[in-house]
């Protein structure tokens, strides 16, 4: 029996990844595509992260699809509403917004070996069947709040930065911010403008580089808009800048030292107070954790009503936070900017493959996938922004576009060969995982703890190389790396 001429494709997640996949599939004639998302609309991380100052710290000329370049970005790194507006417009222009079924939080998807089909179920009981499943739920979608003693006793207001309570007025309040990562450095200067007293709790210092991000001056804006090559030149320049940052991370003892010196000088100049400066200077290799870009964060820490606390948090109390030294500080509001459960890809969704094996169990010793996309024993399943495809020096959109094209080619093979399913060869996946992990040796990423690692310390988030390498590796789908099976699939023996 030949496979269906139009494979039924289900995409889970309507962020940049899911939308990229839907566009790519639509452009190549796949018509049976649906997208599920838990949120009421598309956008993914850009739908949820609405904290004041939320913006991308990757310049928009690169943090946008190569096939949908805009010339009217308001600034170098666009704010959240502009990025969300861009994604909405792109989805509309490519007619994929109509494929979205919003408000559907997927609880499980299981592969039925007999029918070579994926059965997907949502928390509210809806079921969807598909021949192919694309899980584009991302790495940064589940906010993480550390389980500190006394958390539930706090009677003030509290929320995670990725779920900002817009209605809560910070003016005149005593505010605590826990965490000093990429999100916090964007909103701390804004909160400092409003709060009566702001205390920032830092566990680990971060390397910073400048980012003014002012609105484009009219002349530059006009140049980008009207002189065609300016746009593509800027994109190329930003791409190469990202690759240079990766070069510094890959070579921490040489190039890394130069960029570290640049960061040190910048941070030194931003903070005249030596005591404060000593607190914010990292003591680990440049690039091990995500490098932060802000020219506004350190000056905000220097304001008279802002405190930086580096003592460990011992407990949350009814009215505030107690640190290890026994000091208790009272707060009206606690903002958790403590990141995401990045290494628990897809959780709590349950994903069942051949023989009912749970992906969670297969990944017991750390997540891994061939090129971050395919896992042996999970036929016709593709991940987007899966294990080892995050970037520290580039744009994730570059990776997502590459993945969308790769997945589309794989599905073309499936369809054109009349196959029912495809499965990456276990030896191929194991080989590429070994190679990926080996490439971290000697790089800055191994120099400290970070959200790139899972609980066992394995680096599961990041791609160990350059954007251009990932593009090269994924450019053409290599059918020999996969096993293809035709229908009919043997029925199980009776009894
Ligand atoms: P994050 O970088 O993971 O930062 C979490 C912060 O919380 C860290 O400072 C961490 O300290 C601290 N923390 C965690 N548990 C703690 C505890 N028990 N006590 C005290 N501090 C604690 O999270 P994020 O800032 O939300 O950013 C996550 C990622 O999202 C970024 O790295 C980036 O990839 C992405 N992002 C991107 C943009 C953009 O503009 N493109 C903007 C925001 C976020 P330690 O360092 O000690 O763990």
């Amino acid at each position: 029996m030949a496979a269906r001429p139009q494979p039924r494709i289900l995409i889970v997640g309507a962020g940049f990844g899911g939308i990229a996949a839907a566009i790519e599939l639509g452009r190549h004639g796949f018509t049976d595509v649906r997208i599920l998302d838990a949120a009421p609309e598309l956008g993914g991380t850009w739908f949820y992260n609405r904290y004041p100052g939320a913006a991308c710290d990757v310049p928009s000329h690169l943090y946008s699809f190569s096939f949908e370049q805009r010339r009217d970005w308001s600034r170098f790194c666009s704010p959240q509403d502009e990025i969300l507006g861009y994604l909405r417009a792109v989805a509309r222009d490519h007619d994929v917004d109509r494929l979205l079924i919003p408000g559907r939080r997927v609880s499980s998807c299981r592969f039925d070996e007999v029918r070579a089909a994926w059965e997907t179920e949502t928390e509210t009981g809806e079921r969807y069947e598909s021949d192919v499943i694309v899980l584009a739920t991302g790495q940064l979608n589940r906010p993480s709040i550390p389980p500190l003693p006394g958390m539930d006793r706090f009677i003030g207001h509290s929320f995670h930065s990725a779920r900002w309570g817009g209605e809560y007025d910070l003016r005149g309040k005593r505010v605590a911010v826990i965490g000093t990562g990429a999100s916090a450095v964007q909103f701390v200067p804004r909160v400092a403008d409003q709060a009566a007293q702001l205390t920032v709790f830092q566990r680990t210092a971060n390397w910073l580089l400048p980012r003014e991000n002012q609105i484009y001056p009219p002349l530059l804006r006009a140049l980008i808009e009207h002189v065609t090559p300016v746009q593509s030149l800027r994109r190329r320049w930003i791409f190469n800048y990202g690759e240079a940052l990766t070069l510094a991370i890959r070579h921490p003892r040489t190039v890394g030292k130069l960029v570290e010196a640049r960061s040190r000088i910048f941070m030194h100049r931003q903070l005249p107070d030596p005591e404060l400066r000593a607190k914010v200077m990292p003591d680990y290799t440049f690039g091990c954790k995500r490098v932060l870009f802000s020219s506004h964060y350190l000056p905000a820490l220097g304001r008279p009503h802002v405190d930086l606390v580096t003592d460990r948090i011992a407990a949350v109390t009814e009215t505030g936070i107690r640190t290890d030294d026994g000091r208790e500080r009272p707060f009206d509001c606690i903002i958790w900017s403590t990141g995401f459960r990045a290494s628990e890809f897809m959780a709590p969704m349950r994903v069942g493959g051949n023989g009912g094996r749970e992906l969670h169990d297969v990944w017991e010793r750390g997540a891994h996938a061939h090129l971050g996309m395919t896992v042996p024993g999970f036929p016709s399943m593709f991940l987007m922004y899966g294990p080892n495809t995050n970037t520290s020096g580039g744009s994730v959109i570059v990776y997502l576009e590459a993945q969308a094209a790769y997945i589309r080619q794989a599905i073309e093979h499936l369809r054109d060969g009349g196959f029912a399913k495809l499965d990456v060869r276990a030896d191929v996946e194991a080989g590429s995982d070994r190679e990926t992990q080996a490439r971290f040796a000697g790089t800055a990423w191994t120099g400290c703890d970070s959200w790139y690692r899972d609980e066992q310390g394995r680096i599961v988030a990041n791609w160990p190389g350059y954007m251009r390498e990932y593009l090269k590796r994924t450019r053409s789908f290599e059918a020999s790396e996969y096993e293809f099976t035709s229908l009919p699939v043997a029925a199980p023996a009776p009894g």
Side-chain angles (χ1 to χ4, degrees):
M1 193 197 300
R4 292 170 194 86
Q6 271 299 339
R8 298 164 301 169
I9 303 165
L10 187 68
I11 299 170
V12 183
F16 266 92
I19 296 300
I23 292 173
E24 175 76 15
L25 291 164
R27 284 166 136 194
H28 289 82
F30 291 95
T31 52
D32 196 340
V33 180
R34 281 174 296 182
I35 314 171
L36 304 182
D37 200 291
E41 67 152 305
L42 59 76
T45 197
W46 296 107
F47 170 78
Y48 285 109
N49 282 273
R50 293 164 183 254
Y51 53 79
C56 191
D57 58 13
V58 178
S60 295
H61 294 285
L62 196 61
Y63 198 88
S64 51
F65 294 123
S66 61
F67 56 86
E68 275 295 347
Q69 287 292 290
R70 290 277 191 276
R71 302 223 195 128
D72 56 353
W73 298 112
S74 65
R75 46 185 99 206
F76 199 44
C77 298
S78 303
Q80 173 266 340
D81 56 347
E82 210 170 313
I83 300 171
L84 184 59
Y86 165 81
L87 193 60
R88 280 186 191 134
V90 171
R92 194 182 53 238
D93 293 349
H94 288 263
D95 202 25
V96 298
D97 52 349
R98 68 186 170 82
L99 308 177
L100 174 65
I101 309 173
R104 299 284 191 276
R105 187 178 291 281
V106 171
S107 51
S108 70
C109 39
R110 323 216 140 262
F111 187 66
D112 180 331
E113 288 177 72
V114 176
R115 290 181 307 117
W118 280 94
E119 288 166 0
T120 298
E121 193 168 346
T122 67
E123 274 180 0
T124 37
E126 294 90 359
R127 286 164 186 270
Y128 302 87
E129 191 176 281
S130 63
D131 303 302
V132 172
I133 192 157
V134 179
L135 299 177
T137 49
Q139 295 189 11
L140 303 169
N141 60 6
R142 282 216 300 157
S144 164
I145 297 185
L148 293 165
M151 297 269 303
D152 47 351
R153 280 189 289 152
F154 182 62
I155 52 169
H157 195 73
S158 72
F159 54 89
H160 190 281
S161 57
R163 301 288 182 271
W164 198 272
E167 66 290 346
Y168 185 76
D169 190 355
L170 292 166
R171 278 176 301 182
K173 302 283 184 354
R174 296 163 303 175
V175 179
V177 170
I178 323 288
T180 53
S183 302
V185 299
Q186 292 186 344
F187 69 74
V188 159
R190 301 293 187 93
V191 173
D193 285 342
Q194 296 181 24
Q197 174 67 41
L198 169 62
T199 306
V200 178
F201 289 84
Q202 170 192 286
R203 188 166 66 177
T204 316
N206 290 286
W207 291 107
L208 278 125
L209 285 170
R211 191 192 81 149
E212 282 289 346
N213 209 28
Q214 304 296 356
I215 290 185
Y216 279 138
L219 183 62
L220 181 56
R221 199 170 166 152
L223 263 179
I224 296 171
E225 215 163 329
H226 303 298
V227 184
T228 311
V230 174
Q231 167 83 353
S232 52
L233 273 176
R234 281 174 76 80
R235 186 174 161 91
R236 208 168 314 147
W237 179 78
I238 295 160
F239 185 98
N240 289 327
Y241 181 89
E243 298 289 67
L245 200 52
T246 303
L247 183 78
I249 295 170
R250 283 206 55 79
H251 300 281
R253 281 192 287 272
T254 52
V255 190
K257 284 281 173 233
L258 293 176
V259 191
E260 179 179 315
R262 166 78 183 98
S263 173
R264 203 179 283 281
I265 292 166
F266 165 69
M267 292 173 72
H268 202 273
R269 284 196 182 141
Q270 284 231 303
L271 278 184
D273 174 1
E275 202 183 314
L276 190 52
R277 198 192 289 154
K279 284 184 176 178
V280 300
M281 272 307 168
D283 57 1
Y284 58 86
T285 320
F286 176 89
C288 177
K289 282 174 185 283
R290 194 175 195 277
V291 176
L292 307 180
F293 296 85
S294 173
S295 303
H296 310 291
Y297 172 67
L298 294 178
L301 295 184
R303 292 177 66 176
H305 66 303
V306 180
D307 274 338
L308 180 72
V309 174
T310 52
D311 299 303
R312 287 292 161 107
I313 298 172
V316 179
T317 66
E318 232 175 75
T319 51
I321 290 175
R322 194 173 62 244
T323 39
D324 266 354
D325 58 355
R327 179 166 173 194
E328 187 172 335
R329 294 172 174 83
F331 295 110
D332 302 304
C333 175
I334 299 176
I335 304 173
W336 300 97
S337 189
T338 38
F340 300 86
R341 296 161 83 158
S343 64
E344 302 171 13
F345 297 87
M346 273 92 69
M349 189 195 305
R350 301 183 66 128
V351 182
N354 285 341
R357 280 198 82 187
E358 291 276 341
L359 188 56
H360 182 70
D361 295 333
V362 172
W363 282 353
E364 205 181 9
R365 294 202 186 141
H368 51 89
H370 182 47
L371 300 171
M373 286 183 274
T374 48
V375 184
F378 293 80
S380 310
M381 177 187 88
F382 298 93
L383 311 177
M384 297 190 79
Y385 198 13
N388 296 110
T389 62
N390 180 56
T391 170
S392 298
S395 166
V396 72
I397 311 296
V398 170
Y399 290 76
L400 294 172
E401 256 187 78
Q403 290 165 7
Y406 181 95
I407 292 167
R408 182 262 305 161
Q409 291 176 58
I411 306 174
E412 279 174 347
H413 265 79
L414 192 74
R415 179 195 63 191
D416 300 346
F419 299 111
K421 60 177 182 175
L422 87 176
D423 200 356
V424 65
R425 280 172 32 209
D427 60 316
V428 168
E429 193 277 330
S432 72
D433 181 45
R434 265 196 307 275
E435 187 194 324
T436 300
Q437 291 300 322
R439 290 204 64 209
F440 285 114
T443 67
W445 287 299
T446 60
C448 69
D449 191 17
S450 72
W451 68 259
Y452 304 148
R453 294 175 184 266
D454 65 12
E455 278 179 0
Q456 287 112 43
R458 190 181 136 96
I459 301 177
V460 291
N462 273 27
W463 174 247
Y466 302 91
M467 285 181 279
R468 61 169 194 279
E469 288 174 323
Y470 190 77
L471 292 174
K472 193 169 168 217
R473 290 290 301 274
T474 52
R475 188 157 293 134
S476 47
F477 172 77
E478 201 46 69
S480 62
E481 296 183 336
Y482 288 78
E483 285 161 0
F484 290 83
T485 311
S486 303
L487 281 175
V489 175

